[in-house]
Structures are given as structure tokens and as C-alpha cells.
């Protein structure tokens, strides 16, 4: 979730860009940088850590430059360090690029460019872009960028300036956000509106494939067919805090709606069934080690623990590896039975969860191989693991985890499939079918989010209730746990998640005409069983709210309310089923007047035992 700011006009570019970067700090970052063109020379400054470090590096620079680009980096390729910080330059130090997104084919492009004599100074995927532009540059930076982006596969928002065209700022958008700010004889590009909202209220939202050429005297926008086009200028009336939330009322709602993109970002560039050696080239566990694994132990806490429970189903059914999932704070105090054929998977959004770090460290005494699933590069868990699979969710501001959870699930799906391929448990045909279904999930999530109003209706009906029961079976049992947890965290309503088959062993005593029971009843091999459980609830006059697959008419007869999700593979339903439950918790919390972004007594990262 990097941030881009670019400026061309009559103001001091460094000041405009630095302020813009500070206003994007909420996106999260580990390094920052800025490049300006001044008096025929290119000046670049980069720093690791907070923007104050970049500001200190620039404090002795007296700048009058009026064009430049800046960047805050959330590491996805290469560790956080000054060499990997943006902006990146070409071999001749004349072209500068800042980038938000992921270039899927950067390894192939990098090898081509190295063979042509280009010299790379970083570990990032971004650096291939500036060398590609250098390859095609013949005096016109716009034409060079147009030629370069035709070679790129992936997602990118770009800001480009060139010493040989000092009066031009180029912006490009493809599957990553980029807006154009319209001022008086000055123009801006930015990843998000807050960056430049203090300078202008007028913005153009670029569409996928758009490229904008900005000069002091005006601008031109080219569409994906390279035709000059017009885009609507929108007047923004948000205050600065609302701007950070992209117009959403709360960060939690914004992050729920970001999930179609963050899931796609997490699997983007990592799926290659045709060549197993290129599948997950970012995870440095060799196929030989995977073949030797005969047991997986997953440790996590809170929401990450629920992702781990689904992971148990996936690794056993897809990879054929016996798997157990433990709460981190319990695992560390057990008498552990581990050996060198065990893989310990630690799951943590922040990578700093104390109750997950301790089991990771303890397991190493047994010669266990360790793998972390994490959202923060360079965090403690990633440094202490043998290998890491990074989710690409960007910073999660809301305390109650939403997009980090689905990012973790996506990582687990990919790892389970990969392990299954390596161990010969998965056929090529199954892999292709599974991947095709996974690729459709972001689109399916958008269709669910478009029906948010249906969830609001249910929330208004039940927000005054004091208790909820959530039921699920198989891989949807952990979704029942997660749905209940979200409601507890956000609305302070008591909620229990339970495996539906266990209902008659206790929770059935709670059911009466006042208890809402949320039943996750998408189709699969236990569908008939969950229907039977729903009938048990109705027989005791419980209120049934069902999550079901589109086309299921039978469920209507047995439920008071039904929310439909698109059909998908049985094992993939958790990625869809959690979305309406997140929305339900959010809207109930809002209706009860709760602080949904910062619930009482909770912290985003629990770094103490």
C-alpha cells in the first residue's frame, strides 16, 4: 500500500511533496524518498523509517525546484532499506520512477535488461520499470513510458519525471489507484486524495489504462487505446479525516471494501502451475524440504487463529499433510512433540504478536522448519522464520481485523495448493480448476459488497439484541467463530461461534424466540447436515439468519433472513462468507453508537503476553 505524490507548478516542489507524503502516512510505510529537477540536475533523497528522517536529510538543501515526485514504501519486494526505497533511477541517472503496485513479470524483464547491460541497484520489482523506460527513451519521455508499460504485467500506478524533459510529469494507472489534482497553473498526482487536498478540491479519477501528461500550462489524458480523452473533474468536499478514509465513514468499512483488491494483490504474480519452480519464488522453502514434511503445526492468536483453523482443513484436504492448529498462548506451555519433519506456520498480521513469537522460538529447539504468514516486512516473526509468505494487504487501521484475515486465508490457499503439487497429491487439472475459482473471488466479493443494503436491513432488525449464536460446519465453522468475534469486538454484544453439530451438546439450551442464530449454509458435503441443524433451531423458535449460495431456494423455507453469496468451490466459500458477517458486525456496531475503529479495551497488535 505504497503512496505516490507528484507535483508540477510554481510552488517549491519539495515542500508540496513532503506535505503530501505526511498526509499519506496512514497508509503505512517503512521508507520514503523524493526526487526533484532543479537547475538542470536531478536531486534524489531517500530514507528508511519515518518521514522525519527524509525531512532531516533534506533540511540543508535549499530548493527552488518546481517539479518532482515522492514516495512512501510499504515493502513487498526486497527488505526495507535505503537501496530499495523509491524513487528509482535508470543507469544514466536521468529518469526517475515511483511506483505503487506489483509487477508480475519483473524477473523475466530484469534478466532481459541485465543482458542488455542495464545495472540494477535494488531488490525491487519497480526498478525494471525505469530501465524499461530508459530502453525506449529517444528524447520524448511520454513516448518512452507508453512503450515501457506495454511490457508490464501486474498492477501499477506510476509517477515519472525526466531530466531531459524537465517540464513534464507523467502519471499512469493500471489496477492501482492514482488521482490527478487540478490547481491554478499547477497539477498534482497522488495515490489518494488527502495527499494534496490542502492545495485543491478538484480531482480527476483516472481509469485503468489511463496515462496523464502534466505540464504547467495544461494536461492531456490518454486512454488504454492511446486516444486522447476527457475525464470528469470532481469537486471534493471532504474534511481531511474523511479524505484519509476515501469518503468512508470509518476505516473498518473502507478496509472491508478493499478486500477484493487486497486478495487479488496477495495472489497476483504468485500463481504459475505450469512451472512449479516459479510457483512462490518468494518463499524460500525448497521442494525437498516440503516433500520431507509429514506434519504441520499452525500457531496464531485471535482472528489469525481462525485463519489457521481453516488452514488445517486446507492442508489436510489439499496437501494431504496432517495438521493441527493451536492458540499461541496455549501452544507455548504444552509438552511439545516436534521434530525435523514438522513445519511450524506462524500467522500474524503485524509480525509482533508476543504469543505467536514465543512458540516460533520454542519450536526451533526441536529442529523444526518455520514459515510465517505476515503482512509486515521486516517484523520480528519474519526475521526469525526460515521462510515467509507476505500478504499484500497494506496497513490495517481498524483494530478489528478484516482485510488482513482474508489476505491470510488467500496465502493459506496458495500454500496448501503448492504443497499439494510438490507432494504429488494434486493433479494439474485440479490445480487449474482451483486457481480459476480463486481468480474469480475478487469479482465475487464486489458483488457481495454491492448488496450491503441487505445487511443493513438485518442489522437494523437485530442491533438491540444482547446475544447471538453463529453456527457453521467444516471450513465454515471457523467463519462462525470469526463472525461472532467481529460482533463481540465491534458492538459489545455477547456472541458465540460453534460447530453446528455440537449445538445439541449444550448451546441448544439457549435457543428461544429472542435469539438470532446466524447459520453459514453454503453448499458442500455437509450441506444436508447444516440444514438439519437449522431445522433444530426453528423447532425451538430461534431466529435464523442464513448465509447461502445463490440459487438455493430450499434455504428460504427454513430461514427468517437469507443473504446469498456467489457459488464457488466448497473450500473457497470462507473467503466469501466472511464478508457479509463483517458488514453485519460493522453496521450493528454503528447503530449501537460504538467506536468501530477503536473498540474499547482492544489493541491492534498485542506485543505483551
Amino acid at each position: 500500500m505504497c503512496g505516490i505524490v507528484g507535483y508540477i507548478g510554481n510552488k517549491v516542489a519539495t515542500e508540496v511533496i513532503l506535505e503530501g507524503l505526511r498526509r499519506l502516512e496512514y497508509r503505512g510505510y517503512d521508507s520514503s524518498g523524493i526526487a526533484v529537477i532543479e537547475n538542470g540536475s536531478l536531486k534524489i533523497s531517500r530514507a528508511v523509517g519515518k518521514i522525519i528522517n527524509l525531512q532531516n536529510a533534506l533540511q540543508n538543501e535549499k530548493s527552488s525546484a518546481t517539479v518532482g515526485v515522492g514516495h512512501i514504501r510499504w515493502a513487498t519486494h526486497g527488505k526495507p532499506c535505503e537501496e530499495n526505497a523509491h524513487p528509482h533511477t535508470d543507469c544514466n541517472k536521468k529518469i526517475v520512477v515511483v511506483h505503487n503496485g506489483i509487477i508480475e513479470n519483473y524477473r523475466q524483464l530484469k534478466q532481459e535488461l541485465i543482458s542488455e547491460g542495464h545495472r540494477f541497484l535494488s531488490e525491487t520489482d519497480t526498478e525494471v520499470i525505469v530501465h524499461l523506460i530508459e530502453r525506449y527513451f529517444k528524447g520524448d519521455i511520454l513516448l518512452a513510458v507508453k512503450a515501457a508499460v506495454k511490457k508490464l504485467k501486474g498492477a501499477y500506478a506510476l509517477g515519472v519525471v525526466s531530466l531531459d524533459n524537465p517540464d513534464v510529469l507523467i502519471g499512469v494507472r493500471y489496477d492501482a489507484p492514482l488521482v490527478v489534482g487540478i490547481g491554478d497553473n499547477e497539477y498534482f498526482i497522488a495515490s489518494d486524495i488527502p495527499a494534496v487536498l490542502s492545495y485543491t478540491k478538484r480531482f480527476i479519477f483516472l481509469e485503468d489504462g489511463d496515462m496523464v501528461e502534466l505540464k504547467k500550462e495544461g494536461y492531456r489524458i490518454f486512454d488504454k487505446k492511446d486516444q486522447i480523452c476527457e475525464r470528469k473533474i470532481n469537486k471534493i468536499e471532504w474534511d481531511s479525516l474523511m479524505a484519509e478514509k476515501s469518503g468512508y465513514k470509518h476505516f473498518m468499512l473502507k478496509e472491508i471494501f478493499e478486500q477484493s483488491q487486497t486478495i487479488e494483490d496477495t495472489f497476483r504474480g504468485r500463481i504459475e502451475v505450469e512451472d512449479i519452480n516459479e510457483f512462490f519464488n518468494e518463499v524460500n522453502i525448497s521442494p525437498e524440504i516440503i516433500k520431507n514434511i509429514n506434519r504441520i503445526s499452525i500457531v496464531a492468536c485471535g482472528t489469525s487463529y481462525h485463519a489457521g483453523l481453516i488452514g488445517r482443513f486446507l492442508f489436510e484436504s489439499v496437501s494431504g499433510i496432517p495438521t493441527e492448529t493451536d492458540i499461541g498462548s496455549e501452544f507455548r506451555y504444552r509438552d511439545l512433540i516436534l521434530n525435523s519433519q514438522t513445519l511450524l506456520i506462524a500467522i500474524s498480521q503485524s509480525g509482533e504478536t508476543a504469543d505467536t513469537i514465543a512458540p516460533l522460538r520454542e519450536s526451533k529447539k526441536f529442529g523444526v522448519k518455520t514459515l510465517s504468514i505476515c503482512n509486515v516486512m521486516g517484523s520480528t516473526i519474519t526475521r526469525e522464520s526460515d521462510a515467509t509468505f507476505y500478504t499484500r494487504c497494506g496497513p490495517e487501521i481498524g483494530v478489528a481485523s478484516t482485510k488482513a484475515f482474508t489476505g491470510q486465508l488467500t496465502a493459506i490457499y496458495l500454500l496448501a495448493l503448492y504443497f499439494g503439487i510438490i507432494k504429488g497429491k494434486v493433479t494439474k487439472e485440479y490445480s487449474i480448476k482451483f486457481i480459476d475459482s480463486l481468480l474469480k473471488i475478487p469479482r465475487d466479493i464486489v458483488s457481495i459488497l454491492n448488496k450491503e443494503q441487505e445487511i443493513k436491513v438485518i442489522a437494523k432488525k437485530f442491533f438491540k439484541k444482547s446475544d447471538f449464536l453463529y453456527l457453521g460446519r467444516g471450513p465454515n465453522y471457523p467463519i462462525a467463530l470469526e463472525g461472532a468475534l467481529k460482533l463481540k469486538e465491534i458492538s459489545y454484544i455477547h456472541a458465540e461461534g460453534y460447530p453446528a453439530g455440537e449445538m445439541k451438546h449444550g448451546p441448544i439450551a439457549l435457543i428461544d424466540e429472542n435469539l438470532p442464530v446466524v447459520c453459514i449454509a453454503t453448499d458442500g458435503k455437509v450441506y444436508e447436515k447444516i440444514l438439519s441443524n437449522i431445522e433444530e433451531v426453528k423447532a425451538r423458535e430461534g431466529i435464523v439468519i442464513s448465509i447461502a449460495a445463490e440459487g438455493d431456494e430450499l434455504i428460504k423455507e427454513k430461514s427468517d433472513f437469507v443473504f446469498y453469496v456467489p457459488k464457488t468451490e466448497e473450500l473457497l466459500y470462507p473467503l466469501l462468507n466472511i464478508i457479509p458477517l463483517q458488514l453485519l458486525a460493522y453496521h450493528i456496531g454503528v447503530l449501537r453508537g460504538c467506536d468501530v475503529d477503536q473498540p474499547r479495551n482492544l489493541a491492534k497488535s498485542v506485543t505483551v503476553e
Side-chain angles (χ1 to χ4, degrees):
M1 195 69 74
C2 305
I4 290 172
V5 181
Y7 176 74
I8 187 165
N10 298 306
K11 295 183 174 68
V12 177
T14 301
E15 295 175 1
V16 174
I17 294 167
L18 276 174
E19 181 180 345
L21 295 179
R22 279 193 291 268
R23 291 180 179 272
L24 292 180
E25 284 187 293
Y26 70 92
R27 295 169 69 89
Y29 65 101
D30 48 57
S31 59
S32 58
I34 190 169
V36 296
I37 297 174
E38 185 169 21
N39 299 325
S41 64
L42 191 61
K43 295 184 177 180
I44 300 173
S45 296
R46 302 185 292 187
V48 177
K50 296 298 182 182
I51 288 173
I52 188 64
N53 297 335
L54 177 63
Q55 188 174 335
N56 290 338
L58 290 165
Q59 64 183 356
N60 295 324
E61 298 283 339
K62 297 286 186 180
S63 178
S64 58
T66 57
V67 60
V69 290
H71 188 271
I72 54 173
R73 178 176 186 253
W74 176 273
T76 56
H77 289 85
K79 62 183 179 294
C81 64
E82 188 171 325
E83 291 79 11
N84 289 333
H86 298 212
H88 290 292
T89 65
D90 66 322
C91 297
N92 295 309
K93 302 290 189 278
K94 289 188 173 184
I95 302 170
V96 167
V97 166
V98 290
H99 166 225
N100 175 24
I102 299 160
I103 304 303
E104 296 178 6
N105 59 335
Y106 85 97
R107 289 180 180 81
Q108 173 193 337
L109 293 172
K110 186 172 183 177
Q111 290 305 312
E112 290 179 11
L113 291 161
I114 288 172
S115 69
E116 295 171 9
H118 291 266
R119 302 181 305 279
F120 283 77
L121 304 177
S122 78
E123 303 169 280
T124 69
D125 56 338
T126 299
E127 197 179 354
V128 301
I129 303 171
V130 72
H131 287 289
L132 272 177
I133 296 171
E134 181 184 26
R135 172 201 275 178
Y136 294 112
F137 185 74
K138 307 295 182 186
D140 187 324
I141 190 63
L142 178 65
L143 294 179
V145 175
K146 285 182 177 181
V149 296
K150 290 178 181 178
K151 298 291 185 180
L152 301 179
K153 294 180 182 179
Y156 46 88
L158 307 178
V160 185
V161 294
S162 165
L163 193 57
D164 290 331
N165 296 141
D167 59 342
V168 178
L169 169 63
I170 303 292
V172 187
R173 179 189 191 272
Y174 188 83
D175 269 1
L178 193 69
V179 300
V180 177
I182 309 295
D184 296 325
N185 297 316
E186 62 180 358
Y187 298 92
F188 312 81
I189 58 171
S191 295
D192 209 348
I193 289 168
V196 295
L197 192 60
S198 61
Y199 294 100
T200 182
K201 300 284 188 180
R202 296 188 299 153
F203 289 88
I204 294 172
F205 301 105
L206 295 178
E207 298 182 9
D208 269 350
D210 281 356
M211 182 177 300
V212 60
E213 178 191 49
L214 300 167
K215 297 183 178 181
K216 291 180 183 180
E217 60 269 21
Y219 66 91
R220 294 188 297 170
I221 297 175
F222 300 84
D223 64 18
K224 60 185 176 183
K225 296 181 180 179
D226 199 24
Q227 300 296 310
I228 294 177
C229 63
E230 298 291 329
R231 298 285 184 231
K232 179 183 176 182
I233 298 177
N234 303 270
K235 189 173 183 182
I236 303 298
E237 301 296 347
W238 301 337
D239 60 29
S240 59
L241 184 59
M242 185 61 73
E244 289 181 7
K245 298 171 184 172
S246 300
Y248 292 99
K249 189 175 180 180
H250 298 97
F251 280 111
M252 181 181 177
L253 187 61
K254 174 177 179 282
E255 288 158 5
I256 289 172
F257 272 77
E258 286 177 341
Q259 288 175 107
S260 61
Q261 184 63 54
T262 54
I263 287 171
E264 186 171 324
D265 286 345
T266 296
F267 67 62
R268 185 188 293 276
R270 286 168 160 164
I271 298 174
E272 181 52 76
V273 178
E274 298 297 330
D275 185 354
I276 291 176
N277 292 324
E278 289 300 316
F279 199 107
F280 302 133
N281 38 47
E282 296 170 39
V283 178
N284 56 336
I285 290 186
S286 70
E288 289 70 28
I289 291 175
I290 294 171
K291 289 175 183 176
N292 190 50
I293 293 168
N294 62 16
R295 177 184 168 209
I296 293 174
S297 185
I298 300 174
V299 291
C301 303
T303 287
S304 297
Y305 169 68
H306 298 156
L309 286 174
I310 296 171
R312 183 182 67 193
F313 284 98
L314 291 166
F315 283 113
E316 291 186 342
S317 62
V318 178
S319 310
I321 306 172
T323 303
E324 59 185 27
T325 302
D326 281 278
I327 295 169
S329 57
E330 293 294 325
F331 181 92
R332 64 187 296 189
Y333 295 112
R334 284 172 43 198
D335 292 325
L336 300 176
I337 303 173
L338 303 170
N339 57 47
S340 61
Q341 290 183 294
T342 303
L343 174 67
L344 183 132
I345 299 179
I347 308 176
S348 170
Q349 188 281 139
S350 67
E352 302 295 346
T353 308
D355 284 328
T356 306
I357 294 171
L360 179 71
R361 290 171 173 166
E362 185 69 18
S363 67
K364 289 191 172 185
K365 298 175 183 177
F366 299 85
V368 167
K369 294 295 181 184
T370 57
L371 166 68
S372 59
I373 296 174
C374 187
N375 195 39
V376 181
M377 189 172 283
S379 58
T380 300
I381 281 176
T382 68
R383 292 197 307 271
E384 299 197 16
S385 297
D386 296 318
T388 298
F389 191 105
Y390 286 105
T391 57
R392 296 166 174 165
C393 298
E396 193 174 59
I397 307 300
V399 168
S401 181
T402 53
K403 64 179 181 176
F405 175 69
T406 52
Q408 290 166 352
L409 282 186
T410 305
I412 291 167
Y413 282 117
L414 294 173
L415 287 168
L417 183 62
Y418 181 47
F419 285 19
I421 292 171
I422 296 297
K423 283 186 164 287
K425 300 290 185 180
V426 173
T427 65
K428 181 178 179 180
E429 290 72 25
Y430 178 88
S431 300
I432 292 171
K433 181 182 178 183
F434 191 92
I435 287 171
D436 284 345
S437 296
L438 182 60
L439 293 175
K440 294 173 185 173
I441 290 293
R443 180 194 64 194
D444 291 340
I445 287 176
V446 171
S447 73
I448 293 171
L449 294 169
N450 287 339
K451 298 192 296 180
E452 180 190 10
Q453 191 59 40
E454 295 180 26
I455 295 295
K456 286 185 181 179
V457 170
I458 298 171
K460 288 177 181 177
K461 187 80 175 175
F462 298 111
F463 77 96
K464 293 183 179 179
K465 294 291 184 181
S466 58
D467 299 277
F468 272 71
L469 180 63
Y470 287 69
L471 300 176
R473 280 182 175 265
N476 282 317
Y477 154 52
I479 293 300
L481 294 176
E482 177 61 13
L485 176 62
K486 283 291 144 308
L487 191 65
K488 282 184 279 195
E489 289 178 311
I490 298 307
S491 70
Y492 316 140
I493 291 174
H494 173 254
E496 288 289 338
Y498 240 81
E502 281 290 291
M503 180 181 63
K504 56 185 170 291
H505 296 288
I508 199 166
L510 301 172
I511 296 173
D512 60 20
E513 69 278 5
N514 295 311
L515 182 69
V517 182
V518 180
C519 301
I520 304 156
T522 42
D523 43 58
K525 60 187 178 183
V526 292
Y527 175 73
E528 297 296 333
K529 299 292 185 183
I530 193 75
L531 283 186
S532 177
N533 298 135
I534 290 173
E535 288 172 345
E536 290 176 318
V537 174
K538 290 303 295 179
R540 288 150 183 86
E541 299 184 348
I543 305 164
V544 175
I545 304 166
S546 292
I547 307 297
E550 288 176 348
D552 185 348
E553 295 298 320
L554 182 60
I555 200 81
K556 285 183 179 179
E557 302 171 11
K558 306 176 186 297
S559 308
D560 296 283
F561 297 88
V562 180
F563 185 90
Y564 288 107
V565 300
K567 279 184 170 292
T568 188
E569 294 292 317
E570 180 180 2
L571 289 174
L572 291 173
Y573 272 120
L575 278 170
L576 302 182
N577 293 339
I578 190 56
I579 307 298
L581 301 187
Q582 292 172 345
L583 287 170
L584 181 64
Y586 169 79
H587 285 294
I588 287 177
V590 170
L591 287 167
R592 290 169 68 90
C594 301
D595 185 345
V596 296
D597 282 340
Q598 294 182 310
R600 67 189 183 203
N601 304 331
L602 296 178
K604 184 62 184 171
S605 179
V606 182
T607 58
V608 295
E609 184 180 0

